[in-house]
């Protein structure tokens, strides 16, 4: 079912947004509103997330944190962020729910978290937009 157009659009959005985060945090993008609009355009107004540590965040919390974090990983050896092991949990147009593992590596340390994301079709975003995200740490022994 991951080959369905809506599921593919959500998978591509996950990959593209993680590439944006890696470039933004790594300082490879200019700290401009034009560059940052990539994030703002794909988060729904009602977007919320629960962080791996259990904090409930609104859209404005997330966008403010990411804006302020620009370039904070610029001098971090081997910094990368990727989404792997995607699973389609629900495909009910205009909604799609994905689960994937987000891996981050910094200075040789890899962390992993489960992520469950809810998307909806959005003409404004040119594909899908994020409605909700739930993240949970994966223990290193798992």
């Amino acid at each position: 079912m991951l080959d369905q157009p809506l599921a593919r659009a959500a998978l591509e959005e996950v990959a593209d947004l993680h590439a944006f985060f890696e470039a933004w945090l790594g300082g490879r993008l200019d700290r401009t509103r034009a560059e940052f609009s990539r994030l703002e355009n794909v988060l729904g107004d009602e977007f919320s997330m629960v962080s791996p540590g259990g904090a409930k965040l609104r859209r404005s919390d997330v966008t403010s944190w990411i804006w302020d974090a620009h370039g904070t990983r610029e001098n971090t050896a081997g910094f990368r962020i990727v989404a792997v092991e995607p699973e389609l949990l629900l495909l009910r147009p205009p909604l799609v729910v994905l689960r994937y593992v987000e891996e981050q590596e910094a200075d040789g340390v890899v962390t992993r978290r489960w992520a469950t994301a809810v998307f909806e079709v959005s003409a404004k975003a040119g594909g899908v937009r994020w409605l909700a995200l739930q993240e949970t740490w994966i223990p290193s022994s798992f």
Side-chain angles (χ1 to χ4, degrees), residues 2 25-26 28 55 66 81-82 94 97 100-101 113 115 134 136 139:
L2 285 171
L25 298 173
R28 295 191 315 276
I66 297 294
I81 303 174
V82 294
V97 180
Y100 57 91
V101 173
R113 63 189 86 182
Q134 166 79 47
T136 305

Side-chain angles (χ1 to χ4, degrees), residues 41-60:
N41 289 339
V42 296
L43 296 185
D45 293 338
E46 63 284 320
F47 175 80
S48 66
M49 77 172 280
V50 176
S51 73
K56 184 177 176 191
L57 306 169
R58 297 173 311 219
R59 180 185 192 276
S60 60

Side-chain angles (χ1 to χ4, degrees), residues 29-126:
L29 294 175
D30 292 333
R31 190 175 192 239
T32 65
R33 285 290 166 194
E35 292 284 5
F36 196 69
S37 69
R38 193 275 175 246
L39 174 64
E40 294 174 316
N41 289 339
V42 296
L43 296 185
D45 293 338
E46 63 284 320
F47 175 80
S48 66
M49 77 172 280
V50 176
S51 73
K56 184 177 176 191
L57 306 169
R58 297 173 311 219
R59 180 185 192 276
S60 60
D61 300 322
V62 173
T63 57
S64 293
W65 179 85
I66 297 294
W67 175 262
D68 291 342
H70 178 267
T72 56
R73 296 295 191 164
E74 191 168 5
N75 297 315
T76 303
F79 177 64
R80 69 177 178 87
I81 303 174
V82 294
V84 297
E85 302 176 33
E87 297 176 68
L88 180 63
L89 300 181
L90 174 77
L91 179 60
R92 191 168 298 147
L95 299 176
V96 61
V97 180
L98 293 179
R99 181 170 38 229
Y100 57 91
V101 173
E102 179 182 316
E103 287 185 355
Q104 291 192 27
E105 183 172 358
D107 293 326
V109 176
V110 176
T111 59
R112 293 169 42 97
R113 63 189 86 182
W114 289 110
T116 302
V118 180
F119 301 90
E120 75 173 350
V121 173
S122 170
K124 178 183 174 186

